[in-house]
Each structure stands twice: as structure tokens, then as C-alpha cells.
Amino acid sequence: METWLNPITLEGELIKLIPMEASHKSGLLTAAADGKLWELWYTSVPSPKTIDTYLNTVLDEQKAGLALPFVVLDKKTDMIIGSTRYLNCDAKNRRVEIGATWYSQRVQRTGINTECKYLLLTHAFEQLHTIAVEFRTHFHNHPSRNAILRLGAKQEGIIRNHRIDENGNFRDTVLFSILDSEWNTVKHSLKFKMNR
């Protein structure tokens, strides 16, 4: 099970998910600058000041087998437009979280997130044989909460005072999941949305 999460490229019609590397630094910064996403107080998007720490943390988690980070590549432009990852990986219990997802402002609400999550969920359920995939988001991140619900995930609950951010604020985290027994229905729904 120690090689459960191996770097892999996942490809759809609109995007490619490529394993993140330190060499993606400038592409990630360019993507995050579209909308100055690092200014959103309820999410963690790298800024010019935090990009090195962001990359070091993410790549260290990957080496430890706890995460598998991706850059999101727009197939039309061949440019990085965001990032996503598997995180909080639990190989023994075959559970994984999909999160730390963000996209350049210009590609938000374009169908890219649906395809991205479809690729990640398909790989998680059909290749990794997970029994559950989790999604977690800040209580105040309503766009993210609504996007997770649209995927077909169900809200499990709210973890109160789950984290303390860099400003000392307490974060309540909303927890969602999709179970392996629900995957066929969710997959059918996502395919329907993507084909429209």
C-alpha cells in the first residue's frame, strides 16, 4: 500500500492534470494573479510572497505519501489555470480528500471544475478503489460549498474551530463526502452535466 498514490497525469476534453513540480512556480503565480485569488481570506492560494512555502509544503506532503498535487493545464492554451490535489490520504482505510482546488478567475464557472473533479473521482474510485472521497471547505466559502454539492457530494457536518489561520481566526470546516456505493450515480450525473 505504500505506493498507493503514484504521480499520474489525468486527461479530459478541456484539461490535463499534471503532477505538480517546483518548475511550475511561475505558471501557478500567473494563474493565481488572474483575480488576485490570494486576497480571498477564506482560501489558501499562493501569492508571490507565499509561493515557495506553498510548493515546499505540498511537495513534502507528496514525499510523505499524504498528498498528490496537480497543476490544472488548459488544453486550448497549454497554460496552467489552477491547482488541485488529493490530500489527507489514508491508504490503509482507502480514503482520500480532494481539495486545495483553485482556478484562475477567467475559467471559473466554465465546466472545468466539473471535468477536473470527474477525472479525480474516477481515478479515486476506479483505480485507487477508495471507499470514500472527502471534500472540506471553509464555512464562509459559499461558492466552494455550492460547487461541492453540485458534484453530488453529501454534507456530513461542520467541524467547529477546526483550524486557526495565519491571522489567528478560527475556521469552521464543512465536511462532504461521496461513498463508493454512490459513485455510479454521481458519475452518471457528472457525465450528463459535462455533455450539456
Side-chain angles (χ1 to χ4, degrees):
M1 277 295 202
E2 61 189 32
T3 58
W4 188 57
L5 263 193
N6 296 307
I8 186 169
T9 296
L10 303 173
E11 186 169 355
E13 296 292 316
L14 305 172
I15 59 163
K16 246 192 233 187
L17 299 177
I18 299 169
M20 188 184 291
E21 297 173 358
S23 63
H24 292 128
K25 177 178 173 176
S26 67
L28 287 164
L29 280 175
T30 299
D34 178 16
K36 293 186 183 175
L37 302 177
W38 53 79
E39 291 180 352
L40 296 172
W41 68 275
Y42 49 74
T43 190
S44 294
V45 177
S47 70
K49 288 181 186 170
T50 63
I51 186 69
D52 292 322
T53 304
Y54 175 88
L55 281 168
N56 290 337
T57 301
V58 169
L59 297 175
D60 285 347
E61 287 176 0
Q62 181 178 351
K63 281 182 204 152
L66 301 173
L68 182 56
F70 297 92
V71 293
V72 183
L73 196 76
D74 184 339
K75 288 176 66 173
K76 274 189 224 163
T77 63
D78 209 35
M79 290 177 63
I80 293 173
I81 53 170
S83 177
T84 191
R85 73 183 92 136
Y86 291 125
L87 63 162
N88 294 319
C89 301
D90 182 352
K92 181 181 175 226
N93 293 301
R94 299 196 340 256
R95 294 180 70 92
V96 72
E97 177 186 342
I98 294 173
T101 304
W102 57 268
Y103 305 101
S104 297
Q105 194 171 51
R106 73 182 183 283
V107 299
Q108 293 175 15
R109 293 181 211 79
T110 62
I112 281 174
N113 184 54
T114 303
E115 185 175 270
C116 178
K117 295 306 190 297
Y118 175 81
L119 294 170
L120 290 167
L121 287 164
T122 300
H123 184 70
F125 285 116
E126 298 178 14
Q127 272 70 52
L128 300 177
H129 304 289
T130 56
I131 60 171
V133 173
E134 293 179 7
F135 300 87
R136 297 176 183 210
T137 193
H138 195 296
F139 179 82
H140 289 284
N141 191 345
H142 294 285
S144 177
R145 290 172 67 176
N146 291 333
I148 293 167
L149 287 169
R150 280 194 306 274
L151 292 172
K154 294 188 171 68
Q155 184 173 318
E156 300 245 0
I158 299 171
I159 306 166
R160 307 283 310 272
N161 283 358
H162 182 227
R163 291 194 194 147
I164 303 171
D165 71 15
E166 63 274 359
N167 298 316
N169 296 313
F170 298 115
R171 167 184 156 147
D172 291 346
T173 298
V174 188
L175 174 63
F176 301 83
S177 68
I178 298 171
L179 305 180
D180 56 347
S181 57
E182 299 166 336
W183 171 234
N184 281 338
T185 303
V186 169
K187 182 178 182 180
H188 183 73
S189 172
L190 289 174
K191 278 183 161 177
F192 179 79
K193 288 174 181 159
M194 289 187 301
N195 288 334
R196 295 185 83 193

